[in-house]
Amino acid sequence: MKTKEYYGIQILSHVILFLSAAVAIIPILILFSSSFTEQATIIQNGYNIWPKKFGLEAYEYLWKQRDQIFRAYGVTALVTVIGTAANIVVTSLLAYPLSRRDLPGRNFFSFLVFFTMLFNGGLVPTYLMYTEYFHIKNTIFALLVPTLLMSPWYVFLMRTNLSSMVPDAIIESASIDGATEFTIFRKIVIPMGRPIIATVMLFSGINYWNDWYNGMIYLTKAELFSIQNLLNRMLADIQFLSTNAAMAGNMGEMVASIPGTTVRMAIAAVGILPIIVVYPFVQNNFVKGIAVGAVKG
Amino acid sequence: MASKKLKHIKKYIPLYIMMIPGLLYLLINNYLPMAGLVIAFKDVDYRKGIFGSDWIGFKNFEYLFSTEDAWVITRNTMGYNIAFIIINTCLSVFVAILLSEMVAKGAKRFYQSAILLPFLLSMVIIGYLGNAMMNTELGFLNKSILPLMGMDPVSWYMEPKLWVFILPIVYAWKEVGYLSIIYYSAVLGIDTEYYEAASLEGATKLQQIYYITVPLIKPVIYTMVLLSIGKIFRSDFGLFYHVPLNSGTLYSTTNVIDTYVYRGLMQLGDIGMSSAAGAYQAIVGFIFVLISNLVVKKTSPDNALF
Amino acid sequence: MLGKSKNVLRVLSLLIAALLMFSACGQTTTPSASGSEPGSAAGSSEPAGEPDELVIGFWAQSGVPTDYQMVIDKVNEILIRDCNCKIVDSVALNIGNYRDQLTLMLSGNEHLDAFVAHYANFATYVAKGQVIELDDLVAQYGQDIVAAVGQENLDAGKVGGVQYGLTTVRDLATTRGFVFLANVLDQVGVDYSGYDWNKKASYDEIHDMLVKIKDGTDLVPMVPSSAGQKLYDTLADFDPLGDANGVIMNYGQGTEVVNLFAQPEYMEFCKRMRSWYQEGLVLQDAVTNQDGYADALKGGRGASYTTNLKPGFDLKTSAQMAQPCKSIPVVDVYTATTIVQTAQWCIARNSVAPEAAMKFLNKMYYDEEVANLLAWGIEGQHYQVIDEENRIIDYPAGVTAENIGYNLNLGWVFGNQFLDYIWNGDSPDLWVQTDSFNKNAMRSKAFGYSYDATPVKTEVAAVTNVNNEYRTALEFGAVDPETAIPEFLAKLEAAGIQKIVDEKQRQLDEFLASK
């Protein structure tokens, strides 16, 4: 029965969400538009939602480096796919037992996980360990393993969701029926936990895609640079030269060759474009996954 | 008695086995390097090696407390974090609920994708976009919007007071889309039977939201808030450094512990001091979480972290 | 999507466990070559005859050029023949990340021999024991370096009387000033002939030029050179002694260390800039500007910027900007430790073949062939000699700036720049000019003194924050110095600047006494 209240809520949702979407999208339009213009135009006229004067010079600059950029795309895509798969496996295997209230030592293990969110040995010890004991420097593992392979935050998130979404009663009755823990995990928990699993996969996928930190620390060979890595290196150069150019005699030459704002915007655009393109398809599955999980049997 | 307990635990062995990969990873990625925390208390000389270097007590921590800035950065860090937790949680729960109530599927997917987009941008780029909006001569606001409203141009990057509002707005812009997904999936996890039963009894939509939806996603809200409290002494570096374009004039409202440490150590490169900062932030956050967790344990034990 | 079988799950978990296990089979802490030939654990304990393997580190603006390995192979031919060593790997990163990466590599045991250190890190490397003492090595294998650089300049690389860094031979002094677009000056009728480093301009003269530009064109007369620029550092006429917190005024011609920001010169500078700013001669957004000067000038927005200057600057910059530029100094030519320390070669603690590293460095400083290979590439492929007598080179046929396979342009980093050919467009007597420039510069009395910040590191951290808060805005004239400078000074006091000044004075006195 479609009451006034129903319509009221629909209209309210549309209005608010539309405004939110607009607020979210407008700056991104500015981002794209400032990449499709000439540096001189920006310097003189500033930024607009639609380029005042269309120009492809930023993309031409990038096109010259297309080998490196395509390669970076490839690396990023590969790392994202493998990483996300590995991440969800490790995360859910840890989160599910923690979600079981009857697990002996549950609080102890939860604390173990939580503690790592706060206390960190720091960059140098982590670097030394990964480089000298595990030799991951300049290998693909450097992009896959440190920090991103499992996030304690998502472990907790999944733990909470699984506790509420998978009722104890169902687990008990399954185990009375003789199912092993692994079977319960596979046949009951995973299907019922679809929404949170899909969510964590989405987030860890984004994290892998966007990561530049691991590359900055563990990669000195350009072959393995990811897209975000390239952008970050460029920005780091700008940062360094702007704070040190005064004292350094010859660096002035370097300052002149740094790409301007349009190119930086273009690189950022190039970095998020694949996500914008891929996300609708992912979202299809995502929503299906969530919707299926939401139907209780 | 012992054998009974053993039998009891035996039943859980498969679950413990499942946890092994994750715990092993934590051991390697987090616990092994944690030995490096000693660096905070040492004057590292690589000739002697890290563990052979001299202990210097708390000297590396001094710079965090010795100046009048110490109060400012602490106040800023905690103040903003509290504001962020409250604002972002409320907004994202609100958006999540709206999304879940929306019937038009196409529109729903579009909105959800749109509000997620800002999350994908790095703070450096957001800083440039901010510049596009707030640049004194060429920015969108000063050039197009303010004149429309008949107002004078504002020197956005020179007025510290404005940033108390600008920073939460920017942070919400970036995070709410992403956070709302978490709450959205939590809302979807609610059994539809509850709603059916409620509407049969004549409850209005609003009442359903208030009495069913919100309470049932409380566990997720608790988890998120408690985890955030653990980070109460840390900040999103990019937000406080890149978005204000590293403008010194704004320090009174944009300098937080992380940026203070970074700026202070840029020339010194002293790893003892940066390790000390990390330890300091960790300990304070830890204390806060312990307290909050205890409080939650008393009031709704199910929702405690540990 | 998630309807995978348990097998896949199991396999994935086993895979991950295996991955971790496999990589855990790594060894302990013996020095391991990063990315070089398998099984190579280079060491001078190898049988004589086997060339020592070197890993060198330097910064590269845009990463390693395509023909880099080719060039290094040629260099290695010479090195193997003459020094029984060869370069097997290079850490050549973009400058923004170079420093962090070096710091990490120097804290462990990765194989690294000779590398270039920037002055900002040099003192830390020495203090933390990350680089080795070079005196014996130089005495034994590096005499050509002493000959090329000069003992006096080498002193800038000494800390506590011990040699740790070897500066390269290049412009080892500096002057500072404004760079104008020559066409604009012509347009508004400014006579700029006669200004060079022997004849500097006064600030008033510059002011008049800027006013003419403002009145005669739409351009912003003066733009910042980079984001967050501290103008008074760019136009410094003092010896910064490392970090400008405690300096020697007047080109370092005295021995008293003072608080720069409390000096009357500082107030005068800021007041002058304030009036320029209010007259509209400076970019109004100077404090938060994110564009580099090149974009502003090429984009038709700005007419001048500030920087430090050296011989040949005009020609180089005009080429970069694709329009004629004219530099006008406002300070005298001088030199100080910091200026010489811009690029120094050091040998890392983790080096496995320090003697070989020193031999390589020595070769770079006196062997023309090696120097030019590293600076310009392979003759015929990356450059061709067009004037043998004056040693001028240019692109070979068919090669342009876009497709050249070797474009490091780091002649000033690779040893002795005076050995290099001169690129077409620069003045043929560039090196002669530079040498004369170096020799005639005023030398700071504190030359050779490197300050160790460790005793005052707490204060430095606090003071740096205060500096960042006030300096950029004050020095561009964006805030009123009458009110801001007292505030600034008060905060500096509270942050402990006097302690830093006193410490620097103490160390300086020690240094001077020991000479």
Side-chain angles (χ1 to χ4, degrees):
Chain A
M1 193 178 62
K2 302 204 173 167
T3 62
K4 261 203 219 154
E5 191 195 42
Y6 169 81
Y7 281 117
I9 292 199
Q10 291 304 304
I11 295 180
L12 180 71
S13 334
H14 273 278
V15 167
I16 294 193
L17 287 176
F18 181 78
L19 287 175
S20 316
V23 164
I25 293 187
I26 289 182
I28 303 206
L29 288 178
I30 297 186
L31 173 84
F32 276 98
S33 103
S34 43
S35 70
F36 278 110
T37 184
E38 286 169 23
Q39 186 67 32
T41 318
I42 293 215
I43 298 232
Q44 285 170 358
N45 299 316
Y47 298 90
N48 292 289
I49 298 188
W50 197 254
K52 267 213 157 70
K53 187 171 167 206
F54 196 75
L56 284 174
E57 72 177 23
Y59 288 99
E60 276 169 17
Y61 178 89
L62 290 184
W63 184 251
K64 285 188 210 134
Q65 314 190 36
R66 61 183 176 283
D67 290 333
Q68 194 175 34
I69 292 187
F70 285 143
R71 204 199 156 82
Y73 265 137
V75 169
T76 316
L78 182 70
V79 166
T80 304
V81 169
I82 299 183
T84 309
N87 179 303
I88 194 62
V89 168
V90 177
T91 307
S92 42
L93 284 179
L94 181 57
Y96 168 59
L98 288 180
S99 74
R100 289 275 296 273
R101 274 169 263 260
D102 48 322
L103 182 79
R106 176 192 194 226
N107 279 344
F108 167 68
F109 286 111
S110 299
F111 182 75
L112 268 188
V113 175
F114 175 71
F115 194 72
T116 66
M117 287 177 76
L118 291 183
F119 289 92
N120 198 304
L123 177 57
V124 172
T126 312
Y127 173 83
L128 289 178
M129 189 202 65
Y130 273 121
T131 330
E132 310 217 338
Y133 290 94
F134 292 104
H135 299 287
I136 65 168
K137 190 156 185 192
N138 282 319
T139 67
I140 197 137
F141 294 110
L143 298 175
L144 286 172
V145 176
T147 315
L148 295 171
L149 190 58
M150 184 186 83
S151 156
W153 192 285
Y154 297 149
V155 171
F156 272 102
L157 205 56
M158 202 181 264
R159 180 193 87 158
T160 309
N161 272 281
L162 290 179
S163 305
S164 15
M165 282 202 254
V166 184
D168 296 335
I170 295 195
I171 297 182
E172 269 186 44
S173 66
S175 95
I176 290 179
D177 283 346
T180 67
E181 290 288 0
F182 291 112
T183 321
I184 296 180
F185 181 66
R186 176 170 64 97
K187 290 216 161 98
I188 300 180
V189 177
I190 292 184
M192 289 185 95
R194 270 214 168 110
I196 190 62
I197 290 181
T199 306
V200 171
M201 281 183 83
L202 175 70
F203 290 157
S204 69
I206 291 180
N207 287 340
Y208 269 110
W209 183 272
N210 273 348
D211 175 61
W212 49 267
Y213 191 70
N214 279 348
M216 181 183 91
I217 303 209
Y218 296 102
L219 294 182
T220 54
K221 303 293 176 200
E223 292 91 55
L224 285 173
F225 287 173
S226 68
I227 275 283
Q228 300 296 348
N229 227 249
L230 286 182
L231 177 63
N232 171 261
R233 281 174 194 270
M234 203 177 286
L235 296 169
D237 289 347
I238 295 168
Q239 176 70 21
F240 184 90
L241 289 173
S242 68
T243 44
N244 285 284
M247 298 276 192
N250 294 283
M251 311 274 203
E253 291 158 14
M254 286 187 179
V255 173
S257 55
I258 292 178
T261 343
T262 48
V263 177
R264 299 177 220 168
M265 294 299 196
I267 294 210
V270 152
I272 65 171
L273 195 63
I275 301 194
I276 295 185
V277 166
V278 166
Y279 185 65
F281 301 100
V282 166
Q283 213 205 12
N284 244 334
N285 280 320
F286 182 65
V287 168
K288 264 198 220 139
I290 291 187
V292 170
V295 172
K296 307 292 179 175
Chain B
M1 280 308 134
S3 65
K4 197 167 175 205
K5 189 142 190 225
L6 215 58
K7 202 163 172 209
H8 177 72
I9 294 200
K10 242 185 169 174
K11 158 175 141 142
Y12 291 100
I13 288 188
L15 287 181
Y16 290 125
I17 294 184
M18 287 168 81
M19 297 203 295
I20 288 182
L23 292 176
L24 187 64
Y25 178 71
L26 285 180
L27 175 71
I28 295 175
N29 191 58
N30 299 77
Y31 281 105
L32 280 183
M34 244 189 238
L37 277 176
V38 299
I39 293 181
F41 301 95
K42 281 183 180 274
D43 181 17
V44 174
D45 183 331
Y46 289 98
R47 284 169 290 221
K48 305 181 189 160
I50 291 183
F51 291 107
S53 298
D54 308 323
W55 296 97
I56 52 170
F58 285 93
K59 185 127 200 336
N60 282 331
F61 288 81
E62 270 177 24
Y63 76 110
L64 295 164
F65 302 101
S66 66
T67 83
E68 18 176 89
D69 278 342
W71 159 243
V72 172
I73 56 180
T74 310
R75 174 202 72 189
N76 285 349
T77 311
M78 276 195 65
Y80 279 115
N81 277 337
I82 293 178
F84 292 158
I85 294 180
I86 298 178
I87 296 177
N88 288 2
T89 308
C90 291
L91 281 181
S92 34
V93 169
F94 181 56
V95 166
I97 295 181
L98 282 183
L99 275 175
S100 65
E101 290 298 328
M102 183 170 288
V103 167
K105 285 220 164 70
K108 175 171 18 203
R109 280 172 48 185
F110 171 71
Y111 293 139
Q112 195 173 43
S113 317
I115 58 179
L116 179 65
L117 284 182
F119 177 70
L120 304 175
L121 297 174
S122 81
M123 278 297 184
V124 181
I125 298 296
I126 296 183
Y128 290 138
L129 291 175
N131 193 22
M133 305 283 282
M134 297 187 281
N135 188 300
T136 329
E137 285 172 62
L138 303 171
F140 197 57
L141 290 176
N142 277 359
K143 210 162 174 211
S144 316
I145 309 250
L146 287 186
L148 270 178
M149 301 181 2
M151 291 168 53
D152 286 326
V154 175
S155 239
W156 298 97
Y157 288 98
M158 302 280 268
E159 303 286 337
K161 298 207 181 69
L162 292 176
W163 287 78
V164 176
F165 301 102
I166 296 180
L167 287 175
I169 292 178
V170 171
Y171 199 55
W173 178 80
K174 182 172 201 247
E175 297 275 302
V176 165
Y178 151 81
L179 292 175
S180 68
I181 296 188
I182 298 180
Y183 295 115
Y184 178 65
S185 75
V187 169
L188 283 182
I190 298 179
D191 202 329
T192 43
E193 285 180 6
Y194 290 111
Y195 295 109
E196 286 158 14
S199 61
L200 277 179
E201 303 212 11
T204 66
K205 254 308 170 183
L206 282 176
Q207 283 173 328
Q208 287 177 31
I209 294 179
Y210 190 69
Y211 287 109
I212 303 178
T213 316
V214 173
L216 284 180
I217 62 173
K218 262 207 179 132
V220 178
I221 299 183
Y222 269 103
T223 304
M224 294 293 285
V225 172
L226 281 174
L227 290 177
S228 302
I229 290 183
K231 307 228 153 183
I232 199 149
F233 250 40
R234 295 186 199 273
S235 317
D236 184 326
F237 180 80
L239 177 67
F240 290 94
Y241 187 87
H242 293 297
V243 176
L245 298 181
N246 195 15
S247 165
T249 332
L250 302 175
Y251 276 19
S252 54
T253 54
T254 63
N255 209 9
V256 291
I257 296 179
D258 282 300
T259 52
Y260 180 79
V261 170
Y262 179 77
R263 291 180 177 125
L265 297 185
M266 256 203 315
Q267 294 211 315
L268 287 173
D270 189 312
I271 80 171
M273 287 164 84
S274 56
S275 181
Y280 168 57
Q281 290 171 306
I283 292 176
V284 173
F286 185 54
I287 295 177
F288 272 93
V289 170
L290 277 184
I291 298 178
S292 319
N293 198 47
L294 271 173
V295 168
V296 170
K297 253 193 172 151
K298 301 276 181 220
T299 52
S300 59
D302 257 355
N303 287 318
L305 277 184
F306 40 85
Chain C
M1 163 173 81
L2 291 173
K4 307 276 186 198
S5 69
K6 90 174 158 199
N7 289 322
V8 178
L9 264 182
R10 286 253 176 91
V11 166
L12 273 177
S13 355
L14 284 176
L15 190 68
I16 291 161
L19 282 179
L20 294 174
M21 228 61 86
F22 170 73
S23 34
C25 277
Q27 295 73 36
T28 50
T29 54
T30 52
S32 52
S34 40
S36 61
E37 294 91 295
S40 60
S44 32
S45 55
E46 298 211 342
E50 202 57 48
D52 291 314
E53 302 186 339
L54 296 177
V55 177
I56 62 175
F58 58 91
W59 55 68
Q61 170 65 21
S62 36
V64 172
T66 24
D67 290 347
Y68 179 71
Q69 193 53 49
M70 209 187 305
V71 175
I72 289 292
D73 289 338
K74 275 244 178 290
V75 173
N76 279 341
E77 280 174 28
I78 304 178
L79 290 180
I80 293 179
R81 183 189 72 207
D82 294 340
C83 317
N84 201 29
C85 62
K86 61 179 182 173
I87 299 172
V88 297
D89 200 10
S90 319
V91 180
L93 285 182
N94 56 305
I95 194 165
N97 294 124
Y98 177 75
R99 155 201 229 171
D100 296 323
Q101 183 62 221
L102 250 298
T103 308
L104 288 172
M105 286 181 78
L106 289 171
S107 52
N109 281 308
E110 288 169 77
H111 183 185
L112 178 66
D113 296 290
F115 67 96
V116 186
H118 185 253
Y119 85 91
N121 304 89
F122 178 66
T124 316
Y125 292 152
V126 174
K128 298 288 180 196
Q130 290 169 297
V131 293
I132 65 176
E133 303 179 8
L134 299 177
D135 298 272
D136 293 335
L137 288 171
V138 171
Q140 237 187 320
Y141 303 107
Q143 283 307 300
D144 296 299
I145 301 181
V146 181
V149 178
Q151 187 57 51
E152 207 175 15
N153 283 325
L154 268 188
D155 283 345
K158 285 192 179 170
V159 180
V162 180
Q163 191 82 41
Y164 286 102
L166 305 168
T167 179
T168 61
V169 181
R170 53 189 153 91
D171 47 308
L172 291 172
T174 191
T175 178
R176 310 171 188 277
F178 289 75
V179 182
F180 289 91
L181 289 174
N183 294 337
V184 176
L185 289 179
D186 289 331
Q187 189 186 339
V188 297
V190 170
D191 178 17
Y192 51 85
S193 60
Y195 290 116
D196 66 23
W197 58 83
N198 290 319
K199 177 173 186 295
K200 64 181 186 199
S202 71
Y203 277 109
D204 287 330
E205 288 169 330
I206 302 276
H207 173 259
D208 294 335
M209 292 183 202
L210 294 177
V211 169
K212 282 206 175 123
I213 297 180
K214 175 154 190 299
D215 294 334
T217 68
D218 280 334
L219 298 172
V220 177
M222 178 181 140
V223 297
S225 314
S226 53
Q229 178 188 13
K230 298 193 172 67
L231 193 62
Y232 201 34
D233 281 342
T234 311
L235 296 176
D237 56 358
F238 51 85
D239 181 345
L241 295 179
D243 64 7
N245 297 321
V247 305
I248 302 181
M249 300 300 293
N250 193 24
Y251 305 103
Q253 295 309 298
T255 56
E256 196 197 340
V257 181
V258 296
N259 178 358
L260 171 68
F261 311 109
Q263 303 307 302
E265 286 90 335
Y266 190 69
M267 173 66 91
E268 193 189 314
F269 184 87
C270 295
K271 275 197 182 147
R272 182 188 311 124
M273 290 311 299
R274 179 64 173 160
S275 75
W276 288 19
Y277 185 86
Q278 282 172 321
E279 286 175 51
L281 301 176
V282 180
L283 183 69
Q284 297 296 297
D285 255 332
V287 175
T288 51
N289 167 65
Q290 297 295 307
D291 298 313
Y293 66 84
D295 289 324
L297 265 59
K298 283 199 253 194
R301 184 115 199 275
S304 79
Y305 67 101
T306 50
T307 185
N308 39 347
L309 307 168
K310 57 174 181 171
F313 181 87
D314 285 4
L315 287 170
K316 264 209 175 59
T317 313
S318 305
Q320 267 168 25
M321 299 290 209
Q323 46 184 323
C325 295
K326 172 68 184 165
S327 62
I328 302 184
V330 292
V331 306
D332 293 326
V333 179
Y334 76 108
T335 180
T337 315
T338 319
I339 293 164
V340 174
Q341 282 187 345
T342 307
Q344 296 184 95
W345 284 91
C346 305
I347 298 187
R349 178 189 60 92
N350 346 1
S351 170
V352 293
E355 291 97 12
M358 181 56 77
K359 287 189 205 162
F360 158 66
L361 290 177
N362 194 52
K363 205 90 172 99
M364 235 189 357
Y365 278 83
Y366 84 84
D367 185 321
E368 262 183 37
E369 218 185 324
V370 171
N372 277 298
L373 274 171
L374 289 169
W376 298 119
I378 299 176
E379 183 173 353
Q381 201 164 351
H382 305 119
Y383 67 90
Q384 60 176 349
V385 182
I386 60 175
D387 183 341
E388 187 64 53
E389 200 195 311
N390 289 319
R391 310 196 47 173
I392 306 224
I393 58 175
D394 203 337
Y395 291 112
V399 177
T400 65
E402 315 272 298
N403 62 21
I404 189 168
Y406 191 80
N407 60 349
L408 280 181
N409 284 332
L410 291 176
W412 57 283
V413 166
F414 285 117
N416 187 345
Q417 198 178 26
F418 291 171
L419 296 173
D420 296 346
Y421 285 118
I422 296 178
W423 197 264
N424 188 19
D426 286 329
S427 162
D429 62 348
L430 183 59
W431 303 143
V432 172
Q433 284 183 23
T434 311
D435 196 30
S436 151
F437 184 75
N438 291 350
K439 294 209 161 75
N440 291 324
M442 258 193 288
R443 199 166 280 260
S444 163
K445 297 270 185 299
F447 192 87
Y449 158 59
S450 268
Y451 122 89
D452 177 17
T454 327
V456 286
K457 60 186 188 179
T458 307
E459 286 76 14
V460 171
V463 165
T464 312
N465 266 286
V466 180
N467 281 346
N468 285 334
E469 194 176 341
Y470 285 93
R471 288 192 61 184
T472 307
L474 265 174
E475 292 167 24
F476 273 118
V479 294
D480 179 17
E482 301 279 359
T483 45
I485 290 190
E487 255 180 55
F488 181 32
L489 288 175
K491 275 197 105 158
L492 284 175
E493 278 304 317
I497 189 152
Q498 197 52 46
K499 203 158 170 229
I500 301 179
V501 172
D502 292 338
E503 176 63 23
K504 271 192 180 174
Q505 183 76 66
R506 192 191 65 78
Q507 288 182 16
L508 177 62
D509 292 337
E510 250 178 51
F511 166 76
L512 290 172
S514 73
K515 269 173 79 177

